[in-house]
Amino acid sequence: MTMNLDRLLSPATVALVGGDPAVAAAGQNRILGFEGEVWLVNPGGRTVDGAVTFGSVADLPGPPDAALVAVGRDRVPAVVKELADLGAGGVVVYTAGFAEADERGRSLQEEVLSAAGTMPVIGPNCHGFLNALTGAALWPDVQGCHRVDRGVAIVTQSGNLAINLTMQQRALPEAMVVTLGNQAAVTVEDVVEWLLSEPRVTAIGLHIEGLRDPMRLGGLVSRTDKPVIALKSGRTDQGAAIARTHTASMAGASSAYDALFARYGVSQVETVPELLSTLAVLHHHGRLPGPSLVSMSCSGGEAGLVADRSMHHDVRFPDFPPDVAERLDTILDGKVAITNPFDYHTFIWGDRQRMTACFTEALASPIDAGMLILDFPAPGLDDRGWWPTLESWIDAAQATSRPTLVASTLPENLPVRVADRLGQAGIPVAGGIDEALAALAAAALPRAKGAGHSAAPPFTGTRRRLDDLEARARLAERITVPAHRPSPIADAARVADALGYPVAVKAMGLDHKSELGGVSVGLRSPDEVDKAATGMASLGTTVLIERQITGIEAELVVAVRREPPVGWLVTLGAGGVLVEVLDDVAVGLAPLSKEDVMSMLDGLRISRLLDGHRGRIAVDRSVVAAGVVGIVEAALSHDDTVELEVNPLAVTTDGAWALDVTWMVER
């Protein structure tokens, strides 16, 4: 349900309830130049410039659009109810000690929500928000924002991180900073929906631990052109992994968010500096058309670093076209190797005309964006020689209208005055080569790849493994499985004769059969079958005799599992005995189309094997895709499915066969 946050996030009147935090918030409204009314509710009678003090909520002259509640946790529900009864537009609960603390806190948080009714509540346990478009600050602490006409928005659960983000010195205009704490009522999704409708917000950056309604966020982002960037924390948490399958350790809970963001066109970054740099690129340039770059520096060492680090980012540095290379060679008197990344050397240092010509030619080549590596001297040193280079870059960027970025190899070598000058020219900055490359890659945002995905129900009970026959029977509804029959060990040879050779003998009811000696393949006679089956006697009294598929060109692993709240996570990768050795997987969200599977296959290192690498026979990828789609459909067609893994999915020239299956269901 859409929550109306207009009055709360863009208030004309603000009430601040409490002691020191409320007084601090009153001061921040004054600092940001809020022109609306600020009412301080403070029984102690303290006064603050720019705020009118009242003894209680009941004394307020009317319902505030937004209120900050900063009182002891036991008093919060009563204060929230007073504000709700008065008709306030929404509240920020700064006070901590709620659901994040203890059982008493969880109970109090429920009381707060009950007291609020339909009134929006941000928090509790949060730092509130800053609206630099209007100057409103429901923010009981220091902050580094200033008034802007337009800019980026940042949404995070962390108050301290939000404070840090407001202190950035990159000439990045921050229009909104919103912290959400416990997300008891107002969620990330609610705030993003409001920000997407605010035309003065140019891009949205998210720092999230998790989402309440990932499908809603995906739908919101896919329906807009406004870019959204995410920094997901908690990526190393393995708590949600299901250890019984190979893929659980290879694609944990964070992979579900990777798939979610890829599906709906949300770019991801890995660090806070990358988040800020990407937002800066998007604010100044919007979405980049692609990741094709030119890099300029006056050092071969810097150019080499750019080339080396580009291997870790989704960017590319194409060669200059011959005519561009020829003109650059002329400008530089034939003294420089014309390569990209480009070391233009220092002999034109200080010659603004030649540097501008050099930069302009490079930026005019068929690329998507350009970056300049430029480190300034430390404060107090003579930096006059560096400014012509900077101004030449600005001139070239303006002449070509090419999106550009300036980066330093060390963040301390990019002074604030340089960032300010570049900000005035509409050029973002980055304090490091990796940071710059990551930002430019992320700003070449993917578009939404799919329309919707399936919700995954939460776990409601314990899990059990389907027996091998039932699992294969279920799977056979959607994908081809080899002919097979169970057999007592003593009758294995007779059953194999009936099936026809070659056959495989497999132990039943076990995970990771190969490691336990529970698989024997390529058996072509009764004696071989009898010997193999007898050798598995310690693993059980019954074995599975399976007609062996020949002509296998590749083996894949396909897994489908519940990953609430995101959805059904599909993992596709190199399978067979190499599944954990290669760790070569791609992830997606169900349902998948054949085209989705084709794209996932393209991202695998073993993709070339499917195309007939080194004498192998090429396979029909559409057949492979159909097999993967069938496995996914099989998993989702049974309500009790928790996780389904097929390993291997054997690929031949004319088909895809599910050779082994582990199917976990709820009891």
Side-chain angles (χ1 to χ4, degrees):
M1 181 178 68
T2 299
M3 187 175 294
N4 189 340
L5 301 179
D6 290 343
R7 289 177 64 197
L8 174 58
L9 293 180
S10 186
T13 55
V14 168
L16 308 168
V17 186
D20 290 344
V23 172
Q28 292 305 324
N29 278 276
R30 184 181 68 255
I31 290 170
L32 265 184
F34 180 56
E35 296 177 358
E37 294 187 52
V38 178
W39 303 329
L40 181 62
V41 180
N42 187 291
R46 296 171 64 180
T47 60
V48 178
D49 289 343
V52 181
T53 303
F54 298 88
S56 68
V57 171
D59 295 332
L60 292 175
D65 291 322
L68 175 73
V69 178
V71 300
R73 71 171 185 172
D74 291 329
R75 294 182 53 211
V76 170
V79 173
V80 168
K81 188 174 190 315
E82 286 184 275
L83 288 163
D85 291 345
L86 193 62
V91 299
V92 170
V93 179
Y94 167 70
T95 310
F98 288 87
E100 82 284 358
D102 52 30
E103 188 60 38
R104 170 61 177 160
R106 283 187 285 275
S107 177
L108 281 170
Q109 186 163 300
E110 291 301 318
E111 291 182 32
V112 169
L113 296 181
S114 177
T118 60
M119 180 180 67
V121 177
I122 292 179
N125 182 34
C126 74
H127 256 65
F129 69 85
L130 297 162
N131 185 335
L133 299 168
T134 66
L138 278 81
W139 188 271
D141 212 326
V142 297
Q143 53 84 25
C145 288
H146 58 274
R147 290 290 293 273
V148 297
D149 295 326
R150 59 191 293 272
V152 303
I154 297 172
V155 184
T156 175
Q157 289 175 256
S158 170
N160 198 63
L161 179 60
I163 293 173
N164 298 342
L165 290 168
T166 70
M167 303 298 176
Q168 56 85 22
Q169 300 181 46
R170 299 159 174 256
L172 171 63
E174 294 172 332
M176 295 283 299
V177 177
V178 184
T179 72
L180 295 173
N182 293 0
Q183 295 190 85
V186 176
T187 65
V188 169
E189 295 87 341
D190 294 323
V191 175
V192 168
E193 182 171 16
W194 188 87
L195 292 171
L196 288 173
S197 69
E198 170 51 72
R200 293 171 292 179
V201 169
T202 54
I204 302 170
L206 306 178
H207 167 254
I208 60 172
E209 299 165 11
L211 295 169
R212 296 290 178 82
D213 191 349
M215 294 181 69
R216 179 185 169 203
L217 180 74
L220 290 169
V221 174
S222 66
R223 293 192 295 269
T224 181
D225 287 330
K226 188 174 294 185
V228 178
I229 307 297
L231 170 58
K232 171 73 171 66
S233 63
R235 299 187 63 83
T236 58
D237 182 15
Q238 297 298 310
I242 302 173
R244 297 185 67 130
T245 60
H246 292 284
T247 48
S249 62
M250 293 166 25
S254 64
S255 295
Y257 279 93
D258 294 341
L260 173 80
F261 294 145
R263 191 179 191 102
Y264 292 106
V266 176
S267 275
Q268 288 194 86
V269 292
E270 297 184 356
T271 68
V272 170
E274 289 176 5
L275 177 66
L276 290 175
S277 291
T278 305
L279 287 172
V281 173
L282 293 169
H283 171 75
H284 288 294
H285 302 309
R287 298 173 188 263
L288 298 183
S292 176
L293 311 177
V294 63
S295 172
M296 307 291 288
S297 62
C298 64
S299 162
E302 292 168 349
L305 284 173
V306 171
D308 290 345
R309 298 311 301 168
S310 70
M311 302 298 293
H312 302 274
H313 302 278
D314 188 15
V315 297
R316 56 190 179 88
F317 289 92
D319 293 336
F320 291 112
D323 58 329
V324 174
E326 183 177 350
R327 288 193 292 270
L328 286 170
D329 189 61
T330 299
I331 293 169
L332 298 172
D333 299 333
K335 298 178 180 179
V336 175
I338 310 300
T339 61
N340 186 19
F342 189 22
D343 168 20
Y344 60 87
H345 287 229
T346 57
F347 67 87
I348 62 170
W349 187 259
D351 186 337
R352 185 167 172 179
Q353 182 176 354
R354 294 180 76 184
M355 282 192 295
T356 300
C358 176
F359 294 158
T360 301
E361 285 293 346
L363 291 177
S365 62
I367 54 167
D368 298 310
M371 58 184 288
L372 172 70
I373 310 300
L374 185 64
D375 287 60
F376 268 69
L381 300 179
D382 185 1
D383 65 359
R384 286 175 294 178
W386 277 254
W387 287 95
T389 302
L390 190 72
E391 295 298 335
S392 293
W393 183 257
I394 292 172
D395 290 343
Q398 293 174 344
T400 60
S401 298
R402 185 74 70 196
T404 66
L405 174 148
V406 172
S408 57
T409 57
L410 293 173
E412 57 266 34
N413 294 346
L414 192 62
V416 174
R417 62 187 182 279
V418 175
D420 288 342
R421 172 67 184 104
L422 289 166
Q424 294 167 4
I427 297 176
V429 299
I433 289 172
D434 273 282
E435 181 185 321
L437 294 173
L440 292 168
L445 285 169
R447 295 289 182 172
K449 296 181 179 179
H453 69 279
S454 298
F459 300 116
T460 58
T462 57
R463 295 184 290 267
R464 67 179 178 88
R465 173 180 174 150
L466 288 181
D467 69 61
D468 291 341
L469 296 179
E470 184 178 1
R472 281 171 167 75
R474 285 187 175 191
L475 202 57
E477 298 169 1
R478 305 282 180 162
I479 185 176
T480 306
V481 298
H484 58 276
R485 293 180 188 173
S487 172
I489 288 177
D491 294 338
R494 179 183 60 80
V495 173
D497 283 339
L499 277 179
Y501 296 97
V503 298
V505 175
K506 300 178 179 180
M508 296 184 66
L510 297 176
D511 299 314
H512 312 321
K513 296 180 180 66
S514 297
E515 293 92 326
L516 299 173
V519 177
S520 185
V521 299
L523 307 178
R524 297 181 176 275
S525 71
D527 287 344
E528 290 180 355
V529 171
D530 184 66
K531 181 178 179 181
T534 302
M536 297 178 194
S538 63
L539 302 178
T541 60
T542 302
V543 293
L544 187 74
I545 312 299
E546 185 176 77
R547 183 68 183 270
Q548 184 162 331
I549 303 302
T550 59
I552 296 174
E553 297 297 329
E555 291 184 329
L556 301 172
V557 59
V558 184
V560 188
R561 76 164 186 265
R562 295 186 198 182
E563 200 61 72
V566 177
W568 289 92
L569 180 66
V570 181
T571 306
L572 172 64
V577 296
L578 297 178
V579 59
E580 289 172 325
V581 175
L582 294 182
D583 191 15
D584 180 23
V585 297
V587 295
L589 291 179
L592 294 176
S593 66
K594 289 184 180 180
E595 291 73 21
D596 293 331
V597 177
M598 295 283 202
S599 179
M600 293 170 72
L601 289 171
D602 288 340
L604 298 176
R605 295 196 299 275
I606 65 162
S607 177
R608 295 167 64 190
L609 294 178
L610 304 178
D611 297 329
H613 181 63
R614 289 188 177 271
R616 287 178 175 267
I617 300 175
V619 300
D620 186 343
R621 289 196 178 206
S622 66
V623 173
V624 180
V628 175
V629 169
I631 294 170
V632 175
E633 291 177 345
L636 271 62
S637 67
H638 294 272
D639 293 339
D640 60 353
T641 300
V642 173
E643 180 173 14
L644 166 61
E645 179 183 280
V646 173
N647 183 34
L649 176 67
V651 181
T652 67
T653 56
D654 58 357
W657 306 75
L659 300 192
D660 208 355
V661 55
T662 301
W663 200 318
M664 304 297 297
V665 299
E666 285 190 310
R667 290 187 184 277

